[in-house]
Each structure stands twice: as C-alpha cells, then as structure tokens.
Amino acid sequence: MSLLDLAPVIPVVVIDDVETAVPMARALVAGGLPVIEVTLRTEPALEAIGRIAAEVPDAVIGAGTVRTAGDVAASVSAGAKFLVSPGATPSLADAMAASGVPFLAGAATASEVMALAERGLKELKFFPAEAAGGVPYLKALAGPLPDVRFCPTGGIRPATAADYLALPNVGCVGGTWLTPADALAAGDWGRVEKLAAEAAALR
C-alpha cells in the first residue's frame, strides 16, 4: 500500500534524547498513527530510527530531511522503512530510487513536480507547504498534474490539516504538532497519544 494511504497524518519528529524515541513511537501508534518520520536534524536521529525499528514492530519508521546519498545509505542501514527529502536533486533522486525502500521526494514548484514525474514518481512531498502556497497552490497543481499525489509538510497545523486532506491530490499531511518538545522532555506520552488520536480522526 502507498505511504500516503496508511494514515491521514505522518508525525514529523525531531529527537533530541534517544531515550524518548521508543515510548514516543508507542504513543503515536496507540493513538492511530503508525507512520513516523524521524528527521535527520539531530545527532541521535539514526539511533532513534534503529531503536524504533527494533522495539516498536507496529510502527512504520522512516527518515526525514534526507539530503544526500550518504543519508540514504545510513537511514536504510539504521532500519528506516521509507525516506523523505525536503527537495530532490538528480543524484539524491537516483540514490533514493536505488535504496529499495519507498520514498517521498520533495518538490515545491510545478517544474520540480514535472521533473520527478518524468522519473515515474507520482507520490511526492510538497514542501514547504504553507510558504510555497498551501491549499490554493495544490488546487492549482491538480489541474495540469492530476496524476500526482502529495504529502504536504511545513507549517501545517491541526486547524488547517483538514483543508489539505480534502484535496483530491493530497493523500496525507506531515505535521510537527503531534510531538511537542515539552511533551517529549516531560515524558507526557498520554498527551502525545491524545494528539495522535485527534489527528487520526481527521479522515
């Protein structure tokens, strides 16, 4: 099944303390969001992906902020089941395609979407969603590019997620609001599970 169809929201997570990774993932899965993107923005990210892959079997764990072929190799080696990039250079697209795991290459313009579609990629990340034009922009893309579907990420909030999800060319959205830094620091997994349950109910 497509990554875009597994859950309405993919939590986009920044891990500062690797010890929070497994309980956080368990809370997200319990709330109904099994697909989790851990961004490669912090030192513990790869270890966090590995721990979640090993200890939370119901989670579909992936790596985000993938920028280089080295990131691709390290992420897959750590246990990532999918990859997400903020943009897509030709060399990065080649590396992700050769990785053997599903991936969402990032695009923000019609030309970028068309270039990736020429490679046969019809499911993409739209980033940065709000800054790049948001819901109106995606509506406009649906006319000339009706066969491409997106996971918009970047600036999306609980109040706007449903507007994105109502679009025919949006399969899911990515959001950072599901794992607030203060909740992770405090180990407030009940709050994380509640936020996940609210997000899972969006569709």
Side-chain angles (χ1 to χ4, degrees):
M1 180 178 285
S2 161
L3 274 175
L4 302 188
D5 297 324
L6 294 177
V9 181
I10 296 178
V12 179
V13 182
V14 176
I15 296 289
D16 291 308
D17 177 1
V18 73
E19 298 302 330
T20 66
V22 167
M24 174 214 66
R26 287 177 175 151
L28 290 170
V29 170
L33 299 181
V35 185
I36 303 167
E37 174 188 336
V38 172
T39 66
L40 301 184
R41 299 181 190 180
T42 61
E43 187 67 31
L46 289 170
E47 185 181 351
I49 289 168
R51 289 200 189 185
I52 294 169
E55 299 181 43
V56 193
D58 291 333
V60 181
I61 183 64
T65 320
V66 173
R67 297 168 48 196
T68 67
D71 288 343
V72 171
S75 298
V76 173
S77 178
K81 300 297 187 290
F82 66 93
L83 307 169
V84 184
S85 65
T89 63
S91 61
L92 178 59
D94 288 343
M96 290 195 295
S99 70
V101 300
F103 62 94
L104 297 174
T109 69
S111 292
E112 291 170 358
V113 173
M114 291 170 66
L116 291 167
E118 281 185 358
R119 290 173 165 265
L121 304 178
K122 299 298 180 70
E123 296 187 344
L124 306 174
K125 173 175 177 170
F126 177 59
F127 176 84
E130 285 288 288
V135 169
Y137 193 91
L138 284 168
K139 280 183 179 178
L141 285 181
L145 300 165
D147 55 335
V148 182
R149 300 170 72 217
F150 298 94
C151 173
T153 304
I156 297 174
R157 307 178 310 280
T160 58
D163 296 332
Y164 282 93
L165 291 168
L167 299 176
N169 59 343
V170 169
C172 63
V173 301
T176 59
W177 77 86
L178 298 137
T179 53
D182 59 339
L184 297 190
D188 189 351
W189 311 124
R191 181 180 170 199
V192 172
E193 182 176 343
K194 180 174 182 292
L195 290 168
E198 291 168 354
L202 287 171
R203 174 174 289 163

